[in-house]
Amino acid sequence: LARDKDRDAAARELITRLSVGDVIPFLSWHHVAELAHHGSEDVFKQRVVLFRSLPFVAFLKQPQEKAYIGNIIDLRNAEISEAFRDPTVDHTAIIERASARITNGFASGVSLCRDNEEWWEIYRQKFAKDSQRRGAEISALTHFPTADLSEKVFARDQKLRPLDEARIQFKKMAQMLAQRLEKDVKKALPNPESVAQEFMREAYEDGLVMYEDKATGIDALLKVYAVDRSRLPKNATVADVGEEAVFVKQLAINESQFGLPSGSLQQVIRKEMLPSWIIWQGLSRALLKLPKAESGNLNDKSIVPFGLYVDRLQVDKRIRDAIRRNAQGSKLFDTLQRKLFKATDYEGLSTEIDNLAKS
């Protein structure tokens, strides 16, 4: 929008429409990160100018006095607080009760930029390149699992390969992964071979624990990833274990921010209790079906859960399709689907914003 305003009358009209102030854009840190990651300094500055021109902006406000913008961890903190207070509460109630903490920020575009622009510039200059690189690597690695995600992890007939065979197999898997990273990533990674080798080396070293104590087998590996067997479904798959490992790692950040002892939230909070996790998980599974990995997947999975707490959500076709596929069997995704803007051009968006303001 900021890029097109000088050459597209419909883009200028949309900006004019937003300047009325009766419909308020909502920002998360992940939107700002996309802004800061852009390769063009001119585009970065144009987008900041656009933010500054807005009469009002809504956002998840962090505890500081200034208008600092929160992220998915802050959203998860709000949901966890409600689930911890009443573990029997359903998703609808969590969204209703947590909403005020997630949409609590309100400022003019000028004030928002005044409080944040210095940090945005520091982030862009010092941290954005590394953050973007790591995000692209994570998105690519998680898109090409090296194990069968549907495999049952507690199957009775499972046997460990001899260690020499396992070592050879991991080398083959690293080669195959490197090939996928080289040819099936939408935006090429600069070093696919070294990324694959390092990832498989860590996986191999993690798996050695199963050889050190064969009596505990898979349970020893679960311990490495801080996964409690009792938190997994009865017929748990490799995918279930991986998702639980991600969740408990994120939960440790929540514990730190709450000032709680390590592992304390695991006693009460399960991933299926949190609306934002259901969205994260559903998008992750849907995006795996795409033929190529995209670096934006990681950021999109953090942005979309905010859609549960706003009136309308704008996404690209890739995410729209993922939401649609999940909506058939999920009330939360059905809610998101009904909130999506239908228009794919600036003129249509202006019309939908007019209708939203009248509703």
Side-chain angles (χ1 to χ4, degrees):
L1 183 59
R3 178 196 61 197
D4 292 340
K5 66 181 177 62
D6 292 331
R7 58 187 180 186
D8 188 325
R12 291 194 296 274
E13 177 60 31
L14 178 56
I15 291 173
T16 300
R17 180 64 190 80
L18 291 172
S19 69
V20 175
D22 54 350
V23 172
I24 302 171
F26 180 92
L27 292 178
S28 70
W29 163 251
H30 310 287
H31 293 95
V32 176
E34 284 193 354
L35 150 75
H37 289 166
H38 201 283
S40 168
E41 182 70 17
D42 288 340
V43 171
F44 169 70
K45 289 179 178 178
Q46 287 172 354
R47 292 177 176 178
V48 173
V49 168
L50 175 59
F51 284 171
R52 195 182 293 117
S53 73
L54 296 171
F56 305 111
V57 180
F59 55 97
L60 193 165
K61 186 179 183 300
Q62 293 188 321
Q64 296 87 348
E65 181 179 348
K66 292 188 175 182
Y68 294 152
I69 303 172
N71 59 26
I72 188 64
I73 297 297
D74 299 300
L75 181 152
R76 194 75 54 77
N77 283 343
E79 293 182 342
I80 287 171
S81 294
E82 298 305 327
F84 192 88
R85 186 174 294 114
D86 180 4
T88 66
V89 73
D90 64 16
H91 291 150
T92 300
I94 286 179
I95 293 170
E96 290 175 352
R97 297 175 189 179
S99 180
R101 288 182 55 185
I102 294 169
T103 58
N104 61 337
F106 184 79
S108 68
V110 171
S111 296
L112 185 80
C113 291
R114 182 190 62 222
D115 287 353
N116 288 278
E117 202 167 343
E118 181 179 3
W119 161 238
W120 295 347
E121 188 62 44
I122 292 172
Y123 175 82
R124 177 171 170 79
Q125 296 299 327
K126 303 292 186 182
F127 305 109
K129 186 174 293 186
D130 186 57
S131 175
Q132 193 171 21
R133 175 189 59 79
R134 287 187 290 107
E137 291 176 358
I138 293 170
S139 292
L141 288 170
T142 55
H143 199 79
F144 306 118
T146 54
D148 180 359
L149 296 182
S150 64
E151 181 182 356
K152 303 292 192 299
V153 295
F154 302 125
R156 294 183 178 180
D157 59 348
Q158 285 186 339
K159 294 181 180 180
L160 288 175
R161 295 174 182 267
L163 191 54
D164 288 344
E165 288 185 19
R167 190 178 295 113
I168 293 172
Q169 180 64 17
F170 268 78
K171 287 182 179 179
K172 292 180 179 178
M173 292 164 69
Q175 293 171 353
M176 293 173 61
L177 178 59
Q179 292 172 0
R180 297 298 304 274
L181 295 182
E182 186 170 2
K183 69 177 184 178
D184 291 330
V185 175
K186 191 168 185 181
K187 185 177 181 180
L189 299 177
N191 52 348
E193 186 172 351
S194 62
V195 169
Q197 288 177 349
E198 177 64 15
F199 177 77
M200 293 309 301
R201 181 190 65 78
E202 292 180 2
Y204 172 78
E205 291 179 354
D206 288 343
L208 289 177
V209 69
M210 292 193 291
Y211 291 87
E212 296 168 359
D213 187 355
K214 295 182 182 179
T216 56
I218 189 67
D219 288 302
L221 186 60
L222 295 181
K223 188 175 181 180
V224 170
Y225 297 117
V227 172
D228 185 339
R229 183 170 182 160
S230 67
R231 290 171 59 90
L232 296 171
K234 181 179 180 180
N235 295 313
T237 63
V238 171
D240 292 321
V241 173
E243 288 167 352
E244 178 67 14
V246 170
F247 181 74
V248 296
K249 190 170 184 179
Q250 293 177 353
L251 205 59
I253 301 174
N254 299 114
E255 288 170 342
S256 175
Q257 293 191 353
F258 282 125
L260 295 173
S262 177
S264 57
L265 284 178
Q266 289 188 49
Q267 306 305 311
V268 179
I269 303 299
R270 292 177 176 266
K271 56 184 179 294
E272 56 269 18
M273 298 166 69
L274 307 181
S276 62
W277 173 265
I278 300 300
I279 300 303
W280 187 97
Q281 176 180 268
L283 287 178
S284 293
R285 294 182 178 186
L287 292 172
L288 278 177
K289 300 182 188 309
L290 297 179
K292 289 186 177 289
E294 295 197 24
S295 59
N297 288 352
L298 196 65
N299 212 41
D300 287 334
K301 289 188 293 186
S302 295
I303 288 175
V304 175
F306 283 91
L308 296 171
Y309 296 92
V310 298
D311 294 315
R312 290 290 186 274
L313 180 66
Q314 174 70 358
V315 298
D316 63 19
K317 183 180 184 302
R318 173 178 52 98
I319 299 300
R320 183 182 298 274
D321 289 344
I323 292 173
R324 177 182 52 78
R325 288 197 296 272
N326 278 281
Q328 297 177 359
S330 167
K331 182 179 178 181
L332 288 175
F333 272 100
D334 180 61
T335 297
L336 278 182
Q337 182 170 241
R338 286 185 280 108
K339 290 185 175 187
L340 293 178
F341 281 110
K342 295 180 175 61
T344 57
D345 57 29
Y346 295 135
E347 186 176 357
L349 282 172
S350 292
T351 300
E352 288 195 55
I353 289 172
D354 280 337
N355 294 334
L356 178 60
K358 296 172 184 175
S359 63

